[in-house]
Amino acid sequence: MRNSDSTKPRRRLLASIHDVSPLFEAAVDRLFDRLQGHLGSARFAMLVVPDFWDQAPLSRAPGFRARLRGWADDGVEMFVHGWNHRDDQVHSGRWASFKARRMTAREGEFLGLDAAEARRRMREGRAIIEEAIGRPVAGFIAPAWLYGEGARRALAEENFALAEDHLRVWRPSDGAILSRGPVITWASRSRARRASSIGFAGLARTLLRPIPVVRLAVHPGDAGCPTLMASIDRTVAAFSAGREPARYRDLMGT
């Protein structure tokens, strides 16, 4: 017996702009315009860094704070995206060291923090962003999607509604997984990374078509690379056909 339309999983597209900071305002503007042009609304997320690499404190950028509030008023979900997005830890353990070296360029800020320091950064970042946008944040997403054990404990204790990593979206309060599937993202650091991310996006446009929820993430560095932007355009267009642009909170039925 076939499922009725009412019992089929909703087909959704979750798009997000990472590393939102006064340091990258022009690039964020370009990415915002590009996503809004494809999706027809501001139904996507922004991941805000309170002080990117200790070079751009949001607390001292009243103009950018006002823009964040305006975007939030228009429907953009705002996430806390670490504190400074920089990993200054010395990692012990082969797996943690591998992730710190190979999966990011010293940007896995929450990979090596203990729970107390992770809580402090989460709380202070949340306070700054919520003061700017005038409402609760949607959740917390670690820089480079990398969490150590301390960060995972702090997440649950800080009562963030949502979190995500490379492969899933979950509810930190009880660990409930709300969506599974790899996030599609692009890398601008080197020619090899650009080529591999474009290749993965091309495969994903076919291989991920059956899954109910597709996630796309773009970064300020993408905005300066025409080949990456062309790949982003193709990928957003491919997945927005037949899917509703959604917000993360839609995964919780709210």
Side-chain angles (χ1 to χ4, degrees):
M1 181 177 177
R2 292 182 179 179
N3 290 334
S4 68
D5 289 343
S6 61
T7 61
K8 290 180 181 178
R10 299 278 290 274
R11 292 176 60 79
R12 290 170 166 148
L13 175 63
L14 298 178
S16 59
I17 302 173
H18 285 224
D19 303 350
V20 173
S21 162
L23 192 63
F24 305 122
E25 185 167 6
V28 169
D29 282 344
R30 289 187 63 191
L31 295 171
F32 180 95
D33 290 344
R34 208 65 160 244
L35 289 182
Q36 189 172 50
H38 280 292
L39 303 177
S41 71
R43 293 181 71 86
F44 48 86
M46 285 185 166
L47 278 57
V48 184
V49 183
D51 190 1
F52 196 93
W53 277 60
D54 299 322
Q55 296 175 23
L58 183 60
S59 60
R60 299 179 192 170
F64 196 75
R65 290 202 309 273
R67 299 199 71 198
L68 288 178
R69 181 170 292 216
W71 285 325
D73 288 345
D74 288 340
V76 175
E77 285 184 304
M78 298 290 174
F79 284 81
V80 182
H81 192 40
W83 173 259
N84 62 13
H85 209 284
R86 187 177 66 218
D87 180 8
D88 293 324
Q89 305 301 306
V90 176
H91 297 278
S92 60
R94 184 175 300 175
W95 181 230
S97 298
F98 173 83
K99 288 192 286 187
R101 290 195 316 270
R102 301 297 183 186
M103 297 179 70
T104 181
R106 288 187 59 213
E107 295 195 323
E109 179 188 359
F110 279 73
L111 181 59
L113 297 180
D114 62 30
E117 180 61 16
R119 281 195 301 270
R120 183 187 71 80
R121 297 189 192 197
M122 288 176 183
R123 286 177 184 174
E124 293 184 10
R126 181 183 212 160
I128 289 171
I129 295 168
E130 290 186 343
E131 190 278 331
I133 64 176
R135 71 200 73 207
V137 295
F140 177 90
I141 298 173
W145 293 285
L146 294 175
Y147 303 79
E149 187 56 39
R152 292 183 184 278
R153 290 202 305 271
L155 256 181
E157 293 166 3
E158 288 304 303
N159 198 33
F160 283 100
L162 290 166
E164 76 166 7
D165 60 20
H166 287 95
L167 296 174
R168 62 187 182 134
V169 181
W170 79 94
R171 190 168 55 213
S173 60
D174 60 4
I177 296 174
L178 305 176
S179 178
R180 292 186 186 272
V183 65
I184 305 167
T185 190
W186 290 262
S188 60
R189 286 208 314 269
S190 67
R191 181 178 298 177
R193 288 179 181 272
R194 289 193 293 272
S196 63
S197 61
I198 289 170
F200 176 75
L203 288 173
R205 291 195 291 270
T206 298
L207 296 179
L208 299 187
R209 193 174 299 160
I211 71 174
V213 178
V214 170
R215 291 180 292 144
L216 307 172
V218 297
H219 293 77
D222 303 338
C225 181
T227 57
L228 291 184
M229 291 297 277
S231 176
I232 290 167
D233 285 341
R234 289 193 295 272
T235 306
V236 177
F239 283 114
S240 58
R243 294 177 184 269
E244 61 176 296
R247 299 185 176 97
Y248 279 79
R249 68 171 178 263
D250 296 334
L251 299 179
M252 300 192 296
T254 60

